[in-house]
């Protein structure tokens, strides 16, 4: 009898605990007389349900049936994992429980992997896993965002073949679909950032950097928020990434940035703004933003600490100026090294001259990368160790090479000394992404002292170079020394002492007046934070009173039995203060205490976290100042590039500006989430 034509009106459903295979989750087993039949719950097809028939034909049907139905939820997928043993296979069901939830926020770090099921006797377990189409689609979009892949990769033939063979049930998406998914991820991640910024206990500093398109025809402004969160961790998050027209006036650009800040609702929370002041972001843009915010009394100290600039940027400029002054000499050294490396025989002769002159070195000659000035420093430093060998080579082969003169070597050695300092300081500034503002003052002061010393060099060539570099440095110093000094004062290892040490070395007799100016500024900053703290306490007290006062028939009963001593408490607070003791402010107490011992593993943020109960107002000030970005670089590699502008990839630059912003911002947010997990 054909099973599909059998009358099953009087069939009995079999419920047996011996049906161990997971295929029976998708089949009903019925008995008609002595015949057992398996009925597919999806398509109602009837197959043999006899125990003698096994379950392989049921699994095969299950795969074909689900493909034919087009189901993307709970589709069985069979694959073999583990070691094979005697070829016996058992089916294990893994129910991921995924459902299509449109409002679910999919977390990039919340990825659950199901473990393969392997029996103790070594038999292979075949896993049946449900495919979550929406989850897989968003995983694809997140992968594209995270790694900067082109969105069009989803339409590439090779990619589609790979995915189809890997997971035939995944519905491949088109460019428009993946772009829409990326925008949805951006919107959800943006909401999370917005809530985080809204809950911040302190202020936010913004850095503005200029990016270029793939062919320099497009320019983008990148706005990044820098802040210390409630757990005292320094955070950095990209907020906006938008295309700008270089022909726009500074006033127009300032309005665009203010609009971005208002959309994030942080215009009232701003502490400082850091920029490189490179076109199109000129100094007047920062001034206009400061003036606008100062009108509403949003900025501390009348905006004196608002406009700051990147410390690494000025070092980069001074390094490139140094190299430019002796570019002809450097070119001759570069060509000489190329000649040495042009053949093995020449290289052997050069090694002999190196031995003859005692100029052996463990470092090998190298050619620099013209896009990174630190590699030029390395090339020159190694060449200087072998300058005597180069001189012998020129004597032996005058028609092949032209080496620097003794005076040029001497000047080059001095300039390499400059570059060595710049490399060391830049490396110190970029060694960590979480560098707080207090770390910059000692290094910047060291450069300040060295520039003063270099400008006194008896060689007019060197002194002239030092004077020109010092002009650039002074522009940076005049604008940033106040916030740098305050940041180091808030370092319990230094306080006022480091300022009092360095300033006489810079300014001689006029130093005491400048130190006093810094002291007055930090007092004013503390007082403004103190007023803000009192206002916050007053608001909290009012909220408490409003919560505890009882309303009856529209009448507010202010006086409760427990409230009768409130006036007494105020009396005690106003009459028990002893002059010279409790009248001291937190700032005065902090500055009078001994310095904290200096050690290499000191964590300033942890120090302020621990001391917040003791210095509640001062700790809030430290939270705001220490987050000021004195460098807006993302990595050490960026710091040494001769062309400091970063670029948007060609594949992303060709997209709509709104999509570019979504991809750049979401990439930063997802990476930050992964790094903190």
């Amino acid at each position: 009898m054909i099973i599909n034509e059998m009358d099953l009106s009087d069939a009995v459903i079999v419920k047996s605990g011996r049906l161990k295979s997971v295929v029976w989750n998708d089949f009903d087993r019925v008995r008609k007389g002595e015949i057992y039949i398996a009925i597919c719950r999806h398509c109602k097809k009837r197959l043999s349900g006899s125990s003698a028939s096994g379950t392989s034909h049921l699994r095969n049907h299950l795969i074909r049936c689900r493909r034919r139905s087009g189901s993307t939820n709970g589709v069985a997928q069979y694959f073999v994992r583990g070691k094979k043993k005697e070829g016996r296979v058992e089916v294990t069901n893994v129910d991921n429980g995924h459902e299509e939830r449109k409002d679910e926020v999919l977390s990039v770090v919340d990825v659950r992997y199901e473990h393969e099921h392997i029996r103790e006797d070594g038999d292979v377990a075949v896993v049946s896993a449900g495919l979550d189409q929406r989850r897989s689609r968003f995983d694809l979009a997140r992968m594209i965002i995270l790694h900067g892949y082109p969105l069009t990769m989803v339409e590439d033939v090779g990619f589609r073949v790979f995915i189809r063979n890997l997971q035939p049930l995944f519905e491949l998406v088109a460019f428009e679909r993946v772009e829409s998914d990326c925008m949805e991820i951006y919107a959800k991640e943006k909401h999370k950032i917005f809530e985080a910024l809204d809950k911040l206990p302190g202020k936010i500093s913004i850095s503005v950097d200029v990016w270029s398109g793939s062919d320099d025809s497009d320019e983008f402004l990148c706005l990044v928020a820098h802040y210390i969160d409630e757990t005292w961790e320094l955070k950095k998050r990209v907020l906006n990434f938008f295309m700008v027209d270089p022909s726009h006036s500074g006033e127009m650009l300032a309005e665009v940035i203010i609009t971005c800040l208002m959309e994030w609702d942080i215009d009232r929370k701003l502490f400082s703004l850091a920029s490189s002041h490179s076109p199109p972001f000129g100094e007047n843009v920062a001034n206009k933003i400061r003036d606008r915010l100062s009108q509403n009394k949003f900025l501390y100290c009348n905006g004196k600490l608002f406009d700051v600039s990147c410390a690494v940027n000025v070092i980069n400029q001074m390094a490139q100026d140094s190299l430019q002054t002796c570019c002809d000499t450097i070119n001759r050294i570069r060509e000489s090294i190329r000649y040495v490396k042009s053949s093995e025989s020449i290289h052997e002769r050069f090694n002999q001259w190196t031995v003859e002159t005692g100029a052996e070195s463990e470092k090998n000659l190298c050619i620099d990368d013209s896009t990174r000035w630190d590699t030029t420093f390395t090339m020159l430093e190694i060449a200087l160790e072998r300058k005597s060998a180069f001189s012998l080579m020129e004597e032996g082969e005058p028609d092949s090479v032209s080496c620097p003169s003794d005076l040029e070597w001497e000047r080059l050695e001095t300039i390499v000394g400059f570059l060595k300092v710049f490399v060391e300081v830049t490396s110190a500034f970029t060694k960590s992404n979480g560098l707080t503002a207090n770390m910059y003052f000692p290094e910047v002061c060291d450069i300040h002292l060295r520039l003063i010393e270099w400008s006194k060099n008896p060689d007019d060539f060197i002194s002239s170079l030092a004077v020109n570099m010092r002009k650039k440095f002074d522009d940076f110093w005049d604008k940033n020394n106040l916030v740098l000094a305050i940041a180091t004062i808030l370092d319990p290892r230094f306080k006022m002492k480091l300022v009092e040490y360095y300033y006489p070395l810079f300014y001689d007799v006029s130093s005491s007046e400048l130190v006093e100016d810094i002291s007055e500024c930090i007092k004013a900053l503390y007082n403004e934070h103190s007023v803000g703290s009192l206002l916050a306490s007053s608001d909290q007290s009012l909220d408490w009173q409003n919560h505890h006062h009882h309303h009856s028939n529209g009448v507010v009963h202010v006086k409760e039995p427990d409230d009768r001593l409130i006036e007494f408490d105020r009396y005690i607070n106003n009459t028990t203060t002893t002059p010279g003791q409790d009248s001291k402010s937190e700032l005065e107490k902090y500055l009078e205490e001994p310095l904290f011992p200096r050690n290499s593993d000191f964590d300033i943020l942890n120090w302020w976290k621990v001391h917040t109960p003791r210095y509640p107002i001062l700790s809030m000030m430290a939270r705001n100042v220490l987050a000021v970005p004195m460098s807006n670089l993302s990595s050490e590699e960026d710091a040494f590039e001769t062309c400091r502008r970063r670029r948007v990839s060609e594949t992303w630059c060709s997209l709509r500006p709104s999509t570019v912003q979504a991809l750049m911002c979401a990439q930063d947010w997802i990476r930050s989430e992964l790094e903190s997990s």
Side-chain angles (χ1 to χ4, degrees):
M1 179 181 293
I2 300 176
I3 293 178
N4 284 331
E5 297 178 357
M6 183 183 296
D7 181 12
L8 299 180
S9 59
D10 58 345
V12 179
I13 297 178
V14 178
K15 294 183 179 180
S16 173
R18 291 182 298 175
L19 299 177
K20 300 297 184 181
S21 176
V22 294
V23 296
W24 294 111
N25 293 333
D26 296 280
F27 286 90
D28 289 319
R29 193 182 191 220
V30 301
R31 179 168 60 86
K32 173 76 172 180
E34 299 300 323
I35 300 174
Y36 289 89
I37 302 168
I39 303 175
C40 177
R41 294 178 181 177
H42 304 283
C43 67
K44 304 306 178 183
K45 185 171 182 178
R46 304 172 188 179
L47 297 96
S48 173
S50 171
S51 58
S53 301
T55 57
S56 297
H57 66 298
L58 301 182
R59 293 199 309 273
N60 293 334
H61 166 76
L62 198 58
I63 295 175
R64 291 193 300 272
C65 172
R66 290 186 172 185
R67 287 181 183 175
R68 185 168 61 251
S69 66
S71 171
T72 59
N73 225 356
V75 176
Q77 190 180 8
Y78 298 93
F79 51 94
V80 177
R81 289 191 181 185
K83 298 179 180 179
K84 290 186 177 180
K85 183 178 180 180
E86 301 295 327
R88 240 177 34 198
V89 177
E90 181 181 339
V91 179
T92 305
N93 183 53
V94 179
D95 183 9
N96 289 330
H98 293 306
E99 295 180 358
E100 190 158 337
R101 300 178 288 272
K102 292 184 179 180
D103 296 329
E104 178 189 9
V105 178
L106 299 176
S107 171
V108 71
V109 295
D110 185 25
V111 181
R112 295 180 177 84
Y113 297 96
E114 300 296 342
H115 298 288
E116 60 268 27
H117 294 257
I118 303 178
R119 288 172 42 138
E120 293 182 359
D121 61 3
D123 284 346
V124 179
V126 179
V127 181
S128 170
L131 172 67
D132 186 337
Q133 173 71 23
R134 183 172 182 272
R135 178 58 184 260
S136 298
R137 210 181 68 216
F138 275 84
D139 285 344
L140 172 62
R142 285 178 181 274
M143 177 191 72
I144 289 173
I145 292 172
L146 184 61
H147 300 292
Y149 297 144
L151 274 65
T152 53
M153 70 176 288
V154 298
E155 298 180 344
D156 291 343
V157 173
F159 176 78
R160 298 178 77 86
V161 170
F162 169 72
I163 293 299
R164 181 60 70 193
N165 289 331
L166 184 68
Q167 172 51 276
L169 302 171
F170 177 65
E171 295 179 3
L172 290 164
V173 296
F175 168 84
E176 292 78 12
R177 177 72 265 178
V178 75
E179 183 182 30
S180 176
D181 290 343
C182 289
M183 295 300 289
E184 185 174 343
I185 290 172
Y186 163 71
K188 291 177 179 178
E189 295 294 332
K190 181 178 180 179
H191 180 71
K192 289 159 62 176
I193 300 296
F194 187 93
E195 288 187 332
L197 297 180
D198 184 59
K199 296 175 183 177
L200 281 181
K203 297 285 187 176
I204 299 170
S205 289
I206 297 291
S207 64
V208 183
D209 200 11
V210 182
W211 287 57
S212 295
S214 56
D215 58 357
D216 291 328
S217 60
D218 297 323
E219 289 185 334
F220 299 84
L221 277 190
C222 179
L223 270 60
V224 182
H226 304 256
Y227 55 90
I228 294 172
D229 66 11
E230 63 278 0
T231 64
W232 283 92
E233 289 188 13
L234 183 63
K235 297 292 180 67
K236 181 174 70 172
R237 297 290 185 270
V238 174
L239 298 184
N240 294 91
F241 196 93
F242 53 90
M243 186 180 293
V244 294
D245 188 338
S247 65
H248 283 174
S249 65
E251 187 172 352
M252 294 174 64
L253 201 54
E255 285 298 323
V256 171
I257 294 174
I258 291 174
T259 300
C260 291
L261 300 176
M262 293 176 67
E263 288 177 351
W264 283 98
D265 196 23
I266 60 173
D267 52 311
R268 293 171 294 177
K269 293 185 176 182
L270 221 57
F271 186 83
S272 70
L273 184 144
S275 67
S276 60
H277 285 170
S278 59
F281 195 92
E283 188 169 1
N284 62 326
V285 177
N287 291 337
K288 290 183 182 298
I289 297 174
R290 177 178 56 195
D291 294 343
R292 174 77 173 274
L293 297 177
S294 295
Q295 290 175 2
N296 298 319
K297 308 296 183 183
F298 290 159
L299 300 179
Y300 286 113
C301 296
N302 294 320
K304 289 183 180 179
L305 308 176
F306 177 72
D307 186 14
V308 298
S309 53
C310 178
V312 177
N313 190 55
V314 69
I315 296 174
N316 189 294
Q317 292 175 2
M318 291 190 296
Q320 293 193 55
D321 286 349
S322 300
L323 294 172
Q324 187 60 38
T325 58
C326 53
C327 60
D328 291 339
T329 303
I330 294 174
N331 282 332
R332 275 182 280 152
I333 292 176
R334 188 181 291 116
E335 292 304 316
S336 297
I337 296 174
R338 283 200 178 99
Y339 176 72
V340 171
K341 290 178 167 289
S342 62
S343 70
E344 291 186 7
S345 60
I346 297 175
H347 196 263
E348 289 178 2
R349 290 201 300 273
F350 183 81
N351 287 338
Q352 293 175 357
W353 290 319
T354 300
V355 173
E356 290 178 16
T357 57
E360 297 98 333
S361 174
E362 296 180 356
K363 300 176 182 178
N364 296 320
L365 291 174
C366 60
I367 303 293
D368 63 332
D369 177 356
S370 60
T371 65
R372 290 175 55 88
W373 62 265
D374 61 320
T375 64
T376 305
F377 158 73
T378 301
M379 178 186 73
L380 297 177
E381 186 180 44
I382 297 173
L384 278 165
E385 295 177 355
R386 296 175 169 86
K387 63 179 181 180
S388 54
F390 278 109
S391 298
L392 282 182
M393 183 175 69
E394 185 179 26
E395 292 177 6
E397 303 179 20
D399 297 332
S400 302
V401 292
S402 175
C403 296
S405 64
D406 291 342
L407 178 60
E408 288 173 328
W409 279 117
E410 184 179 345
R411 287 174 173 173
L412 191 64
E413 190 167 7
T414 302
I415 291 173
V416 168
F418 297 171
L419 296 175
K420 184 178 180 62
V421 174
F422 295 154
V423 167
E424 291 173 350
V425 174
T426 300
S427 297
F429 286 167
T430 56
K431 64 183 178 183
S432 170
N433 288 330
L435 208 62
T436 47
N438 61 299
M439 301 298 294
Y440 292 86
F441 186 78
E443 304 288 351
V444 170
C445 286
D446 183 64
I447 290 179
H448 197 169
L449 284 178
R450 290 176 183 272
L451 286 170
I452 294 173
E453 177 188 350
W454 295 340
S455 61
K456 297 176 182 177
N457 193 291
D459 186 342
D460 291 340
F461 177 85
I462 298 298
S463 61
S464 176
L465 170 60
V467 168
N468 289 331
M469 288 193 298
R470 189 173 173 181
K471 289 178 182 178
K472 284 185 171 63
F473 177 85
D474 286 345
D475 289 339
F476 167 83
W477 176 258
D478 292 343
K479 186 165 111 176
N480 298 278
N481 74 89
L482 196 55
V483 70
L484 288 170
I486 291 175
T488 203
I489 292 170
L490 291 170
D491 189 328
R493 300 171 298 173
F494 302 122
K495 301 184 180 181
M496 286 294 298
K497 297 300 181 183
L498 200 60
V499 175
E500 293 170 349
Y501 166 75
Y502 273 117
Y503 269 60
L505 300 177
F506 301 154
Y507 302 109
D508 200 14
V509 293
S510 60
S511 62
S512 58
E513 183 179 348
L514 295 173
V515 171
E516 183 62 25
D517 290 342
I518 293 174
S519 179
E520 291 300 319
C521 184
I522 195 171
K523 289 177 184 177
L525 184 62
Y526 171 81
N527 290 335
E528 290 184 33
H529 278 80
S530 179
V531 171
S533 178
L534 289 173
L535 290 174
S537 299
S538 176
D539 291 341
Q540 292 174 4
S541 176
L542 182 60
D543 291 341
W544 185 90
Q545 291 179 18
N546 290 336
H547 178 71
H548 286 77
H549 291 164
H550 294 282
H551 296 258
S552 177
N553 298 324
V555 179
V556 180
H557 299 280
V558 177
K559 292 292 182 179
E560 291 290 327
D562 292 341
D563 295 333
R564 290 171 182 163
L565 294 179
I566 287 180
E567 295 300 326
F568 171 75
D569 292 337
R570 291 177 180 170
Y571 167 77
I572 292 297
N573 290 334
N574 293 332
T575 58
T576 57
T577 301
T578 303
Q581 184 178 351
D582 293 331
S583 62
K584 289 183 179 180
S585 69
E586 291 179 20
L587 178 61
E588 291 172 314
K589 293 177 183 178
Y590 166 78
L591 293 176
E592 289 177 359
E593 290 182 349
L595 299 181
F596 191 82
R598 288 196 296 119
N599 55 69
S600 58
D601 59 349
F602 176 72
D603 185 344
I604 190 170
L605 295 183
N606 185 62
W607 192 94
W608 279 107
K609 180 180 181 180
V610 171
H611 288 79
T612 294
R614 187 176 187 184
Y615 303 117
I617 299 173
L618 203 57
S619 64
M620 178 58 70
M621 191 168 83
R623 186 192 296 273
N624 295 335
V625 173
L626 295 177
V628 173
M630 297 309 304
S631 172
N632 57 1
L633 299 176
S634 60
S635 67
E636 185 174 351
E637 291 184 1
D638 294 334
F640 296 107
E641 289 183 355
T642 53
C643 180
R644 285 287 315 284
R645 281 197 182 184
R646 282 171 278 184
R647 294 180 180 275
V648 183
S649 67
E650 183 177 355
T651 55
W652 281 12
C653 197
S654 61
L655 303 171
R656 292 178 298 178
S658 59
T659 303
V660 175
Q661 172 167 261
L663 294 173
M664 294 297 291
C665 292
Q667 183 184 74
D668 174 76
W669 301 337
I670 292 173
R671 284 178 176 175
S672 299
E673 188 178 359
L674 286 171
E675 290 172 0
S676 61
S677 63

